[in-house]
Each structure stands twice: as structure tokens, then as C-alpha cells.
Amino acid sequence: MSDDRHRSEDGSETRSEDRSDTRSEFWCELVHTRTGIERDVVLTIADGRIETLTPDRPVPAGASVLPGLTVPGLANAHSHAFHRALRGRTQAGAGTFWTWRDRMYQAAGRLDPDTYLALARAVYAEMALAGITSVGEFHYLHHGPDGTPYDDPNAMGHALIEAARQAGIRMTLLDTCYLRGGLAADGYQPLAGVQRRFGDKTSDAWYERWSTLRGDENTRIGAAVHSVRAFSEKDDYATWTARTKGVPIHVHLSEQPAENAACVARHGLTPTALLDSYGFWTEHATAVHATHLTDADVATLGRTGAGVCLCPTTERDLADGIGPAGELARAGVPLSLGSDSQAVIDLLEEARAVELDERLRTGRRGHFTSAALLAYATATGHRALGWSDAGRIEPGALADLTTIGLDSVRMAGTVPRLATESAVFAATATDVTHVMVAGRTIVADGVHQLVEAVPQSLNASVQALFGT
Amino acid sequence: MSDDRHRSEDGSETRSEDRSDTRSEFWCELVHTRTGIERDVVLTIADGRIETLTPDRPVPAGASVLPGLTVPGLANAHSHAFHRALRGRTQAGAGTFWTWRDRMYQAAGRLDPDTYLALARAVYAEMALAGITSVGEFHYLHHGPDGTPYDDPNAMGHALIEAARQAGIRMTLLDTCYLRGGLAADGYQPLAGVQRRFGDKTSDAWYERWSTLRGDENTRIGAAVHSVRAFSEKDDYATWTARTKGVPIHVHLSEQPAENAACVARHGLTPTALLDSYGFWTEHATAVHATHLTDADVATLGRTGAGVCLCPTTERDLADGIGPAGELARAGVPLSLGSDSQAVIDLLEEARAVELDERLRTGRRGHFTSAALLAYATATGHRALGWSDAGRIEPGALADLTTIGLDSVRMAGTVPRLATESAVFAATATDVTHVMVAGRTIVADGVHQLVEAVPQSLNASVQALFGT
């Protein structure tokens, strides 16, 4: 299967409308590269990739001018698109994590392929406006309300792929295997209520459905196990891992202490150790959250080459706690970032939160450089989603670029040599002015070029879901 | 003195250019009141105050229409205006709190009354654009670079008052008594280097200078002790407290564990207990930060009626830690919010951070309602600054109003009944569309009406301070 998954990487399935086939030229005021800030940069782009990068040049005739700081396109490595409908609504009164999850299930119960396409298209357009050029959609809303598959068993996944295509961003569909309703003291629970939409009944049935998904030039097919709560040892981790070898695989890991306690009680192992015993952790694997880890868990992730996707604004919102970002980084674990619950869609806020939360946790400043934090939002984020050629600005890389304006009140006072610091610590999604994917401009002057009236589209989709 | 300070409250020193003397009428789509959301509200404003509030009305002929959610003007209860020049610059490489303070001192060494007026005017304009209608300026940059007073000993304070006047917002000048250079194991240190600008040599000299300051309709004169590190027992807390009786007094309190340790070592008391022994804590007093308190400290603040000003984005940035917001609220301590170091100027972000940081600290959701969080940014914030008639939308209150648009991508999906929840948890300073102070519009459609080109003004001031 992995050959099929990767076949599209060589461009053999290129769809001409999704790429720029002509050479184009841009002049960027400032560019963040792996070696630092370059000024007055001429970029030439051909066939969706950066061809040349030349600093210290005047504006060439005919070049498009990008004032501000141009950074690699941002990778949102963990998204549940439909959670966007909950923004603001889960803050009424008090509530636990499980209360929040119950409300999330209410939303999950009401979507169908058409309404999910409309909602996700607007959500991905919001992401594009925030400078996100690739999204990892952790997708488990597979079937009809009672668990009956749609005529196209991947109707919902196809709706998400189409939504990303219409919004102009890359998609890695992390199609999720979700077989159990939870892990309690007396064992694994069956899927119940709206959870029936998530389930494929068996790991084999999940594989049968999953293996018919196809990527394209702007789409990768990845896979996920929801969590150790939703996949038991009887579901055969080893076969699942063998079947998904070589594609990006993700799993929610140790988000809450209760998950760890239940896993240890059942298996005598932490979730990290349990998955390790089945060979889940490789350089293709990403643990999402990884908030409550033992030292041994950190070492396991470091040893196996697995990555960790932090979702700080969601982890605040859901009271998960602050994960061991410093320990993970020191163990060599590649970190990536996700908007997850969509309480906030702003990867710059996620990036600075890694450092700021580490300051709160340790009582000390200065753990991560701004360049490292930006790499989590770009290069390592793309790596976690299987886009190894994106997330950096250099010849040969995919021409996915995000430009951050320096002319807002927030960014005023920025010095060019510290533009990355200002972008990571002071900019917000609002400061994103220009976004391109494979050399195609999808946001210009803060306006989406493919999706009209994004707020109104979001309003309409959310109202259709909940009523007023 | 307190009579002089308060004389302006009855309007006897009204300056006609700072208020609307004619009656005006507004129609607001949604209004946040103490009892909940009202819709289709007609507000009449006369002599700078709200005269009538009538919900469920059509738009009257001639009324100005304010789409979105109108909330009380926001009070920024703790500001050091000049720290805005540091934004982005203190994130380069690693650094401790004291490294940060050294860089802050570098900036502090270079300002004079003219350049501080220009910088503060732009900073307060940024605050106005963020919906802030009152600022508490914790001001200690009093004298010339070597400590020599200016010809007008309050030249710097007057520059700040003028800056707020030009930016159209209310000011409470918390003129700060700063007499010692720090508290170490061997006792209090003398002021040194740039600290000489902060000091009045003696508490009597501070009082002599302070007592010539005068408020006006939009200005209050308050006072501050910098911290227990900068004011020794020999400086005579009791006299200081008696002299400032009845005006808002503030103090940095227990921001870092090292301050507590030094205070206990010297005095055998925590900073809270030390100040309590001198009668510092009353309903006019505000402790800024209060991050590292004992249970007895919390009880003391609760018993005395003192307030606490939290500055969550600064406390993250400086690695101070997360203060005991829940315990303070349960002890009945009025909470307020401040932008402090200006790393971020967004009181909505400060408000949600109180709840979100409490979630991180406790592992549970649902500590504060959105209405309570908004009250910290409005009613109790104004209380901490001595503006008892501001911070609520009701007849008789000062007509200080901030309108938050609901039409951005961030706010899309807002339901009217949960508009406060959306504003507190999803809006940013960018979503502020309209701001009025005493019935005078200072921001319309997100554009400052009194200060042109705010980002350019900030750029010019910061560059003048640091070079490029």
C-alpha cells in the first residue's frame, strides 16, 4: 500500500488546475530561511517549487512584491475540522473534559457529507487566512448516524479532501481507526450513540475502507489509531502497524492522566510503552498531545524517531496540562503543532505557547529559539504529515509560502534581524497577508482568493448544524 | 490630599474639549450588561454619561449604529508604557527575568519627556485600538538619566498624562515611590545606574513631588510603592500609607519566589504580611501579580478588601508562574487585569488567560464564567484605578464603551446569547471596531480618530529609542 500512497509524490497524478505551470517571480522584503533572515530576496517559482532564491536584489520588473516577513507555509498537524462549530459554545458555565466531549458528540451526530464539505471548506479557508498551507485532518467521522456506511464508504473523507482542495491547501487525511468506546476499570466499552459513526467494527474492515483512499498532488493519505482507549489489543496493533507502514500514522497519546491510569491498569504499561510493544513508533509516527509522559516514555519516543504534535491552545482549553516540551526536544523528538479543537486557529500562537508554557512550567525563560518554534510550525509539521519537501524556503522545496505583515500595531517596532522573534511572539493570524501553495496564491492582502466570504460561510455552516 | 485628588470627580474642572456636551444616540446590536445580553439596544448619552438604555428597539432616526457586541470600555490596570519598545527584542536567545530587566533598564535609560510623550501616545493609541478606555500607568521613570530632577519634577508624569489625553483614553497615574535598588541577603541595595532615574531619595521627597500632581476629568492621580524590594522599613510605610489614604495605591507583590525569600529573610514576613503590618491593604489597594502567595496571604487580601491585578501574558513571558486566581476569587478578592510589559496589548487575551491558566494549574475546566472574566477587564479594573462610575453599561455610568465585531473569521458562528463567551474566548484586540470615552468616539471602524498612523508612530518612537 505504501507504494500507492507515495506514487503521487513524483507528480505523476498532477492535476493541472492545482498548480502553477508557468514560472513566476516574487520579491520578498524579508525571508526566514534555515540560516537566518535574508533581505530583498528574489524568488523564482516553477512547477510549484522554488527554483532560485537570491537575496539583496532590487525588485525585478514584473515581480510580485511581498512586503513583510515571508516564512514557509504553516503546517497544522492536528485538526478536527468539525470542532470549529463548538468555538465559544463550550465555554458556557462550568464543564469537565467529558462534558466538553459530550457537546462535541452532539455536533458530530448531525453532519453528513454535504454539510461537512461546506463546514470544512470554510474552516480550511480560515486556516488558509491564518497562513496554514497544509492540514493534517485526524478524521473519525466516517459513517452515517447509526454507524451504517454511506454508499461511498469514504464519503466523509472524500468531503474533507474536496474541502481542502476548494480552500487551496494541502491535506493529509489521517483516517482514523476507532473501534472501542473507551477504556474503563472493567475493560473496553463498545461504541455507543454517536460513536457508532466513528467505528468500522473491526480493524480489517477499517483497512478495507482505508485502502481504497487515494492521494493526489496536494493530498496525502495517512492513518491514525484514535487512542489506546479506542483500540484494544484484540484489534491487532501489529497487523495495523504493518499495514500502514511508511505512511504518516498518528495517535492521541496520554492527553489526560485518566487515560494513563486506565491503560496501566489494563495492560500494565503506559500508552507509550503499550504502543512501543507493537512497533507503533517509527519516524513515520506522531503522538498527539503527549502531555503526561514518564521519563521512560520520553526516552522511547526519542529512541524510535517518533514525533510529538503539541496543541497548546487546546490543551489549555481542555485543562490537559502542560506537556514536557523541553524534555522531548532534548530527547531529539521532532515537535509539530496543531489547532486540534479549533478553539483558536493561529499557529503562531501555538508556536509561542510552546515556549511560554515551558516558562510557566519551569519558572525560567529561554528554552526554545524563535527559529526552533517556527520550525515546529513549518518543517517538522510538514514532516509529520508526510510532506518532506515543504516547510522550508530553499531551491527545490515546494513553493508553499506565508507572508506576515509588519505594519500592524502589534508588529510595529520590529527590527529586520529579529523579524522571526517578532512574528513568533507578537504576530497573530490576522497579520498574515499573503499565502501561496505550490506557487499558487490562495490569500492576497488578507483575502482568500478561492473562497468568498469566509466568515459568512462559517456562520451558515455552524447555524445549519445547531440552528441559531 | 485625598480631597484634592477627588475634587475633579464632580466635574468642577471639566475641560470642554474632552467630553461630549450634546446628547447623542446609539443603537447597539448586542450589549453586555450585568444581567446578561440585551439586543437591539438604544443608548442615549449626555454629558459623557449613559442616560438611558432601552433594549428591543428599532434603529431610531439619526442614531449611530454599532453592529456587534458592545461591552464596557476595558480598563488596563497595570501598564509600563515604555516596555512596549521591547516587544520582540527580549525574545532573542535565552535569558532570565533579570536579563530581561537589564534590557528594560537599557530602554529606560534613554527616554526624556519629549520622546516619552511620543512613545506613550502611540502605545496608548494601540491600547485604544484594543478597546482599552482607561489605563493605570505604574510610573517610576521620574528623573533625568543621573537622577537629577527635570525643571518640572513631574515632567515625565505630565508627559504620560498628556499622552493619554492625546490618545483619548482615561489615565490613572500610579506615581511610584522607588527608593532602593533591591533586597539581597545583605540588605537593601542603593539605587544604581539607570535606577537613579526612578528614585526620589526619600519618601518625603517623593511625597513632595507627588502632592503637586493634579487630576482632571479624565485623569486620576494614584500612587504606588514599587515593591518590597524597592522600599525599606526605614522609608516609613506607615507615613506613606497615611499620606496616600483614599487614592488608588498599587504595589508589585510576590511576582517571583526570590522576592518572597528575601523579604522573609529580612523581615520574617511575606511581602503581603509585611505590607499588612503597615496598614497598606484597604479597598483602595491593588497588589499586582500576587503570583506566589501563601494561604495566609490570600486570606489577608480577602479580609482587607484589597484587589489583585493579574497580568497573565506578562507572567507567562517572564516565567513568573500561574497565580492563585481561583483561591483569590473564592476569598472575595476583586481581580483586575493589566498588559504590564506590553508583550501583548489585548485585554480579551488576558481575561481568557485567567480561566485557561487556572485550567492548566488545576487540571479542571470551568472556574470562571465569561461574565466574571469580562468584569475583571471592566468593572473591577476600573475600580482598581479609582473610576467607580465606569466599567458597566447602565444609566448614570460613564459612557465608556467598546464594541467588538462579530464578523471576523474568528468570531463567525457566534450565537447572540453566548456573545460574551465568544468575545472572551475567541475575540482578539483586532476585533475591536468602535471605542468611545465619555461619549466621544476615539476609534471608529478600527481606526483611531485622534492619532493618525499608529503603527508608524510606534515604529518611529521605538527606532528613535534604539536606533534601527
Side-chain angles (χ1 to χ4, degrees), chain A residues 84 95 317 359 365 409 413 459, chain B residues 95 317 359 365 409 413 459:
Chain A
R84 173 62 181 82
D317 191 294
R359 292 183 189 179
R365 294 182 102 234
V409 286
N459 266 327
Chain B
D317 191 294
R359 292 182 189 179
R365 294 181 103 233
V409 285
N459 266 327

Side-chain angles (χ1 to χ4, degrees), chain A residues 71-127:
Chain A
V71 303
L74 307 177
N76 184 3
H78 190 66
S79 160
H80 303 288
F82 76 93
H83 291 199
R84 173 62 181 82
L86 306 172
R87 187 182 295 175
R89 290 172 195 251
T90 69
Q91 308 296 352
T96 65
F97 173 78
W98 303 106
T99 307
W100 176 88
R101 201 176 77 153
D102 287 346
R103 291 186 190 179
M104 183 268 283
Y105 279 2
Q106 181 184 30
R110 298 180 181 180
L111 287 161
D112 64 32
D114 290 340
T115 56
Y116 205 7
L117 169 58
L119 173 61
R121 174 177 179 269
V123 175
Y124 296 153
E126 180 177 354
M127 290 183 192

Side-chain angles (χ1 to χ4, degrees), chain B residues 57-250:
Chain B
R57 303 286 294 181
V59 181
S64 301
V65 173
L66 297 178
L69 174 66
T70 297
V71 303
L74 307 177
N76 183 5
H78 191 66
S79 160
H80 302 289
F82 76 93
H83 291 198
R84 172 62 180 83
L86 307 172
R87 186 181 297 173
R89 291 172 195 253
T90 68
Q91 309 296 353
T96 65
F97 173 78
W98 303 107
T99 307
W100 176 88
R101 203 177 76 154
D102 287 345
R103 290 185 191 178
M104 183 267 286
Y105 280 2
Q106 180 183 32
R110 299 181 181 178
L111 289 161
D112 64 32
D114 290 340
T115 55
Y116 205 6
L117 169 58
L119 173 61
R121 175 177 179 269
V123 174
Y124 297 153
E126 180 177 353
M127 290 184 190
L129 290 167
I132 291 165
T133 56
S134 297
V135 62
E137 179 66 31
F138 196 105
H139 167 55
Y140 51 77
L141 202 50
H142 300 305
H143 303 302
D146 64 355
T148 305
Y150 291 105
D151 291 345
D152 168 8
N154 283 312
M156 294 294 253
H158 288 144
L160 292 165
I161 291 171
E162 177 63 16
R165 195 190 69 76
Q166 291 186 20
I169 68 174
R170 297 185 198 275
M171 150 78 71
T172 296
L173 185 71
L174 300 158
D175 188 284
T176 302
C177 189
Y178 195 131
L179 301 175
R180 308 287 166 174
L183 176 55
D186 55 347
Y188 283 92
Q189 312 296 308
L191 298 175
V194 72
Q195 290 181 326
R196 293 174 295 167
R197 303 196 72 172
F198 311 162
D200 290 286
K201 296 194 170 54
T202 68
S203 191
D204 285 344
W206 173 83
Y207 175 69
E208 186 177 348
R209 182 178 58 71
W210 177 75
S211 57
T212 65
L213 288 162
R214 287 289 175 274
D216 62 32
E217 188 185 25
N218 291 330
T219 311
R220 292 268 184 282
I221 306 300
V225 164
H226 179 273
S227 61
V228 299
R229 304 191 308 275
F231 192 100
S232 86
E233 64 281 10
K234 293 183 184 165
D235 301 319
D236 194 354
Y237 278 104
T239 299
W240 192 92
T241 302
R243 284 169 166 170
T244 56
K245 189 175 179 182
V247 308
I249 59 171
H250 287 217

